[in-house]
Amino acid sequence: MINKLQVNMKLDVGAQCNVLPYALYCKLAREKMRKSKTRLVSYTGHKMPVMGKATLNVKHRGKTHPVEFQIIEHPATPVIGLQTCHDLNLVKRVSSVDTQREENLSSDTNQDVNEILKKYEGVFDGIGCLEGTYRIKIDPTISPVVHPLRKIVS
């Protein structure tokens, strides 16, 4: 909550700062924007011009925290970056991850996995080509979009 207004924000542990669109800043801010020397670059490599910065009081779980935001003109989802996520206890850093080794799995689990691999053998072999010819229709009026890579858990 910022200045008694509930605001939905995206938690982005890959972001190095907090970002707020100008239109939302105008609704929330009681203070004047300050100059910022920060340069923002999206995960796709696009530069996003920064209009300025402001420190806003964010209320989370009954406590108020001063949080610095970079203000951008582009209408975007507000972002809470890694440091603020950590400071507000929104995320927890995990130093190590324990995994179960295959030899520690029960024989029932190994049997289930082997049954699935055998039953769907065609899914796990080759490069995933489909039989036949397919035609993809593209609407030329729609702008292309680049999405971040998705991590596949192995």
Side-chain angles (χ1 to χ4, degrees):
M1 185 173 291
I2 303 174
N3 291 337
K4 299 181 182 181
L5 183 65
Q6 186 73 32
V7 180
N8 290 326
M9 299 193 169
K10 181 185 273 189
L11 304 181
D12 186 352
V13 295
Q16 301 300 310
C17 66
N18 308 305
V19 180
L20 197 65
Y22 181 71
L24 184 56
Y25 165 77
C26 291
K27 292 178 186 177
L28 299 172
R30 294 182 180 154
E31 68 167 69
K32 208 171 187 182
M33 195 181 336
R34 303 182 314 272
K35 289 186 180 182
S36 175
K37 294 182 181 181
T38 303
R39 293 185 184 181
L40 296 181
V41 180
S42 71
Y43 62 86
T44 58
H46 293 92
K47 293 179 182 173
M48 299 173 66
V50 176
M51 298 175 70
K53 64 183 177 180
T55 302
L56 303 175
N57 290 321
V58 175
K59 187 174 181 180
H60 177 66
R61 293 187 179 164
K63 292 185 179 179
T64 303
H65 307 270
V67 177
E68 184 175 88
F69 287 92
Q70 301 298 321
I71 312 301
I72 60 170
E73 188 174 357
H74 180 71
T77 303
V79 172
I80 296 289
L82 174 63
Q83 189 60 52
T84 304
C85 284
H86 184 65
D87 293 346
L88 299 179
N89 292 319
L90 298 170
V91 296
K92 183 178 177 182
R93 290 185 189 218
V94 178
S95 300
S96 66
V97 177
D98 295 328
T99 59
Q100 260 186 332
R101 298 201 177 270
E102 191 171 320
E103 58 267 11
N104 293 339
L105 295 175
S106 69
S107 60
D108 291 339
T109 304
N110 281 333
Q111 185 178 357
D112 292 344
V113 169
N114 290 332
E115 286 177 20
I116 291 170
L117 290 172
K118 188 173 183 180
K119 185 175 180 180
Y120 299 103
E121 186 177 358
V123 174
F124 301 106
D125 289 334
I127 58 170
C129 293
L130 299 173
E131 295 177 12
T133 304
Y134 295 89
R135 185 175 190 130
I136 299 174
K137 296 178 183 176
I138 298 174
D139 186 344
T141 62
I142 304 297
S143 299
V145 182
V146 177
H147 293 286
L149 296 175
R150 305 282 194 260
K151 292 184 180 178
I152 299 173
V153 179
S154 55

